[in-house]
Amino acid sequence: AAEIFVSAVASVSPGAVVAGSVGEVTIACEPACDDTKVFFAERACTPSSFSSAVSFPISGPFSNVAVDASDFAAGPHYLLCVVFNASEAVAEVGDTGFDIFVSPVRAVEPKVVRPGESTNFNITCELCSDSTEAFLGESCDDITPQTEYWYRTHRTLLASAGQPDKWILSADTASFPAGLHFHLCLLLGNDTNTSNDNTSAMVFGEAGGKIYASAAQLDEDQFVLPKAQQVVHFRATKGRP
């Protein structure tokens, strides 16, 4: 008979870490976790994968975990696995239902957009190519081209910036409401190793970090002096309804 594992992990944010770096991931438990560890696995959450992995203790309703992705290959998704009763001889190992995308994106600029304006993003990405697509959205979970979201840009091919690993994404962010954070979502291409029936599966995920839609707009260039009580004039657009 099939078994269903009940996980106390309710959410994981962000859904990506940058390859070759250390990133912080916040894990929420409902109810609060106690005597619990988490670890990452490429294939499956099993006792054997736990014994060979680096694990992280978590406790309470929220835990911040520093994930060292120095040895993680860019591109795959790693399963987030949980271990209950971690201090006991027979621990319970299972899949949380969440995963972490190991992002090849090392830098994105700018990190702020303004409503009413389109934006060109400069992206440093080691695995990207002229067939890589990207978009901005409140979530990277749905990559269906036909799906229309009010707060999502269209999937767009990256353009070469003329230097190795340097790319440009032209995104229509004019309709984004102020006050929200958006993910940069990548679609790297097809991975024929992710399916048992040899069908292709799209490799996609969060690039890491977030883009903020700011309400502040300057009508003209201004400057400040190196002293206190400086005044800067700006106007604020209306945020999300």
Side-chain angles (χ1 to χ4, degrees):
E3 295 182 348
I4 297 177
F5 181 75
V6 180
S7 170
V9 175
S11 66
V12 178
S13 180
V17 293
V18 177
S21 68
V22 177
E24 187 173 81
V25 174
T26 300
I27 299 174
C29 289
E30 293 182 1
C33 288
D34 182 40
D35 192 18
T36 304
K37 290 184 176 181
V38 294
F39 67 97
F40 296 94
E42 192 170 0
R43 297 295 180 185
C45 298
T46 62
S48 60
S49 61
F50 169 52
S51 63
S52 61
V54 176
S55 59
F56 309 90
I58 61 174
S59 62
F62 296 96
S63 296
N64 294 324
V65 174
V67 181
D68 186 352
S70 300
D71 297 328
F72 286 5
H77 288 258
Y78 284 77
L79 302 175
L80 178 63
C81 310
V82 65
V83 184
F84 296 120
N85 304 320
S87 63
E88 298 183 9
V90 181
E92 301 174 42
V93 181
D95 192 337
T96 65
F98 296 97
D99 58 40
I100 295 292
F101 178 65
V102 184
S103 171
V105 174
R106 300 191 178 277
V108 179
E109 292 293 341
K111 292 182 173 58
V112 176
V113 299
R114 289 176 173 79
E117 301 177 2
S118 294
T119 310
N120 286 334
F121 293 92
N122 298 303
I123 300 171
T124 303
C125 175
E126 62 177 305
L127 288 184
C128 294
S129 67
D130 54 10
S131 63
T132 299
E133 295 179 271
F135 65 91
L136 269 71
E138 294 181 84
S139 170
C140 298
D141 293 340
D142 189 348
I143 61 172
T144 309
Q146 293 79 12
T147 303
E148 293 294 335
Y149 292 97
W150 183 253
Y151 304 129
R152 194 183 97 169
T153 64
H154 293 289
R155 285 169 47 175
T156 305
L157 288 171
L158 298 184
S160 173
Q163 300 178 43
D165 300 336
K166 302 292 185 180
W167 302 90
I168 297 174
L169 171 65
S170 297
D172 183 5
T173 56
S175 63
F176 279 9
L180 292 184
H181 286 88
F182 295 89
H183 298 285
L184 173 63
C185 308
L186 282 184
L187 296 88
L188 292 174
N190 288 329
D191 182 4
T192 56
N193 295 321
T194 57
S195 178
N196 293 328
D197 58 5
N198 294 321
T199 58
S200 295
M202 181 67 73
V203 177
F204 68 96
E206 294 179 21
K210 291 184 179 180
I211 308 298
Y212 181 65
S214 173
Q217 291 184 317
L218 297 176
D219 291 324
E220 58 184 14
D221 293 337
Q222 301 177 54
F223 67 91
V224 294
L225 300 174
K227 64 179 184 179
Q229 303 299 321
Q230 298 291 288
V231 177
V232 175
H233 297 279
F234 67 91
R235 58 189 175 89
T237 59
K238 185 178 180 181
R240 184 177 190 171

